[in-house]
Amino acid sequence: MTQKLDTLQETASQTAGPFVHIGMVPTYAGLGGIYEEEIGTSTFSDGAKGDVIEITGTIIDGAGFVMRDGMFEAWQADANGIYPGQDGVDPNVSGWARVCADPESGEWTLRTIKPGSSVNRDGKEQAPHIAIWVVARGINIGLQTRIYFDDEDNSGDPVLSRIEHKHRIDTLLAKKTEDGKYRFDIRLQGEGETVFFDM
Amino acid sequence: MSNRQPAETTPLIPRNRDVHPVAYDPNYKTSVTRSPNFPLLAMESTVTEETGPVFNQNKLGPLDNNLIMNWTQGKAPAVGERILMHGRVLDESGRPVPNTLIEIWQANAGGRYRHIKDTYFAPLDPNFGGCGRTVTDENGHYQFLTIRPGAYPWPNRANDWRPMHIHVSLFGSGFGQRLITQMYFQGDPLIDLCPILSTVKDRAQVDRLVAPLDLASSKPLDFLAYRFDIVMRGRRQTMFENKPEGM
Ligand SMILES: [Fe+2]
């Protein structure tokens, strides 16, 4: 026998289900007006410093089908790489938004400020990126991934450098399509499967 | 660039995936094509996961945690068995998680959601919306007043029914703590038949999702109470953090 640890176990996750929008994006679900102010509508407000960019994409399941019900949350630093809650953050950047697939086409768009590179506890610099947390019916625990940018220097990024199958890094790169516009598709399973994290 | 100092954040405790549901479970059919084939790439949290959205509590309205009244802005109550859903949010070290946002959503008393994709023929309740939100107090306590949701059938195997449940979303203080779960009700015979609940393979973890009747917190002649305590992913807090690697 030994002493008993007094640490607790995390409560088990459960799927967000098909009706997640009621609770997280009520206006999208048809419950507009139930709250005076809905949260997560944009990562920034007027006056935020930096370049406004638009990332468009889809969420695709293992059958190659574009999901109409998928949604994700985005979390990012400001243009200087400082996160909300840290000293010196741009007061016009909340850094967080909820993004839903279009119920007809399945396409989503995230309009945001291009984040700067950020610095970890150990002083290592991360390339500019946006953290993504995907939830939907059929996903039992939210899937963590990241959007990096193909027009940035990602060579020193401590997370990307941990990916052993180098060709899979490509699944985390938003591709520039024109000035200020990027394309990023999330593939849950199978060919071209997006790298998902546990971190 | 300003303020390029190492982040003064604390690392998240790595997730124990054994206490969570499996991603792939053929009995929950939609999970078959929505679960990654490759293993998750596991590593220590970074400043990205250690920080998280900050909410202005002043944005919450007085009826936001009262689902009986919030859809009609206080004009008329929803139909159903009136209940208080309440509990505490702690982290893995047993510390309360204060000032954190909790959002819930649920079906009405007949098992119908107010959502264009819900085609179940049980009627909508004109006085019930189905979502609420609140913030934990300094001791991690939260409360919602709502109605007990009905069980409902869903397309999976030929005759699957969801037990009565309320969906719950929590934030914590870091984006890597984000959690969505579901609360079930003591005594519901559908609990042991539910393919979604049984994606959690650890029986003790399933039991922790079932809220007991809490008669002591019920209000006579008004509402019953159910108690649902939640544990969120915690942070490592030793005196040896925030030093360059190997030092
Ligand atoms: Fe549900």
Side-chain angles (χ1 to χ4, degrees), chain A residues 6-127:
Chain A
D6 63 359
T7 45
L8 305 173
Q9 294 290 350
E10 191 182 5
T11 299
S13 169
Q14 290 273 269
T15 181
F19 309 123
V20 54
H21 316 98
I22 296 173
M24 305 220 303
V25 274
T27 301
Y28 174 99
L31 284 80
I34 192 162
Y35 299 139
E36 189 146 321
E37 202 170 329
E38 199 159 314
I39 56 170
T41 51
S42 179
T43 59
F44 69 103
S45 52
D46 289 349
K49 293 176 206 74
D51 299 328
V52 175
I53 57 169
E54 222 174 79
I55 309 168
T56 301
T58 53
I59 307 173
I60 302 164
D61 74 8
F65 185 72
V66 171
M67 290 162 51
R68 268 61 175 181
D69 64 320
M71 69 168 288
F72 63 82
E73 290 182 1
W75 170 242
Q76 63 165 83
D78 69 10
N80 284 326
I82 301 170
Y83 282 91
Q86 291 188 294
D87 287 344
V89 69
D90 184 336
N92 293 310
V93 172
S94 74
W96 177 77
R98 287 173 164 160
V99 181
C100 295
D102 181 271
E104 303 301 323
S105 68
E107 196 155 86
W108 54 261
T109 297
L110 170 62
R111 191 166 171 272
T112 189
I113 298 289
K114 194 167 190 193
S117 58
S118 50
V119 184
N120 281 331
R121 278 177 278 113
D122 58 8
K124 283 193 184 133
E125 196 161 319
Q126 304 191 89

Side-chain angles (χ1 to χ4, degrees), chain A residues 8 10-12 14 37 62 73 75 83 87 98 117 120-121 129 137-138 140 146 189 193 196 198, chain B residues 3-4 15 20 22 28 32-35 37-38 41 46 48 50 92 103 133 178 181 184 231:
Chain A
L8 305 173
E10 191 182 5
T11 299
Q14 290 273 269
E37 202 170 329
E73 290 182 1
W75 170 242
Y83 282 91
D87 287 344
R98 287 173 164 160
S117 58
N120 281 331
R121 278 177 278 113
H129 67 276
R137 166 174 73 97
N140 291 327
R146 287 183 171 194
Q189 184 193 79
E193 183 175 306
F196 295 103
D198 180 13
Chain B
N3 199 1
R4 305 291 297 178
R15 252 196 174 119
H20 285 292
V22 294
Y28 179 21
V32 169
T33 54
R34 294 186 172 191
S35 45
N37 289 335
F38 285 108
L41 179 58
T46 73
T48 311
E50 292 157 7
E92 289 167 282
E103 297 163 294
R133 58 185 186 181
R178 232 18 215 100
T181 186
Y184 301 87
V231 175

Side-chain angles (χ1 to χ4, degrees), chain B:
Chain B
M1 298 248 181
S2 59
N3 199 1
R4 305 291 297 178
Q5 302 300 313
E8 289 179 17
T9 47
T10 14
L12 298 174
I13 296 171
R15 252 196 174 119
N16 178 2
R17 293 270 163 181
D18 291 341
V19 305
H20 285 292
V22 294
Y24 170 89
D25 191 332
N27 283 337
Y28 179 21
K29 295 183 183 179
T30 316
S31 76
V32 169
T33 54
R34 294 186 172 191
S35 45
N37 289 335
F38 285 108
L40 303 175
L41 179 58
M43 65 185 83
E44 173 105 322
S45 59
T46 73
V47 63
T48 311
E49 294 75 35
E50 292 157 7
T51 53
V54 184
F55 299 104
N56 178 359
Q57 293 183 30
N58 302 328
K59 287 186 177 178
L60 298 188
L63 288 178
D64 282 5
N65 68 343
N66 182 344
L67 287 76
I68 292 179
M69 292 305 231
N70 67 1
W71 178 244
T72 61
Q73 319 279 354
K75 288 190 195 74
V79 171
E81 187 182 327
R82 298 160 63 84
I83 61 166
L84 176 78
M85 166 188 178
H86 76 125
R88 271 185 100 187
V89 183
L90 303 176
D91 70 15
E92 289 167 282
S93 312
R95 279 184 294 251
V97 181
N99 309 314
T100 196
L101 184 70
I102 305 183
E103 297 163 294
I104 65 170
W105 64 99
Q106 63 170 86
N108 69 22
R112 172 77 185 272
Y113 283 95
R114 187 176 285 282
H115 190 287
I116 52 172
K117 286 281 168 67
D118 190 353
T119 54
Y120 184 33
F121 53 71
L124 286 171
D125 173 356
N127 296 336
F128 186 70
C131 62
R133 58 185 186 181
T134 192
V135 170
T136 55
D137 68 15
E138 66 275 14
N139 298 313
H141 285 287
Y142 73 91
Q143 301 187 352
F144 289 99
L145 195 63
T146 186
I147 51 95
R148 179 138 86 155
Y152 59 85
W154 60 296
N156 188 54
R157 298 172 304 193
N159 190 20
D160 273 326
W161 292 72
R162 292 304 325 279
M164 301 175 285
H165 64 278
I166 296 178
H167 297 265
V168 187
S169 158
L170 300 118
F171 281 84
S173 53
F175 195 55
Q177 293 174 280
R178 232 18 215 100
L179 179 69
I180 288 180
T181 186
Q182 298 181 28
M183 180 193 102
Y184 301 87
F185 291 85
Q186 178 184 8
D188 187 341
L190 292 169
I191 285 174
D192 285 337
L193 305 175
C194 177
I196 287 181
L197 189 45
S198 68
T199 59
V200 179
K201 301 306 176 190
D202 179 332
R203 182 68 216 193
Q205 286 294 98
V206 169
D207 291 344
R208 290 180 57 206
L209 297 180
V210 183
L213 178 69
D214 175 11
L215 207 53
S217 300
S218 305
K219 186 176 176 193
L221 307 178
D222 191 341
F223 55 74
L224 282 174
Y226 285 86
R227 168 105 187 183
F228 189 55
D229 292 333
I230 299 164
V231 175
M232 302 200 71
R233 190 177 173 191
R235 291 174 187 267
R236 199 168 67 228
Q237 289 185 328
T238 71
M239 60 192 296
F240 301 106
E241 305 296 346
N242 298 335
K243 298 201 169 106
E245 218 165 273
M247 298 280 281

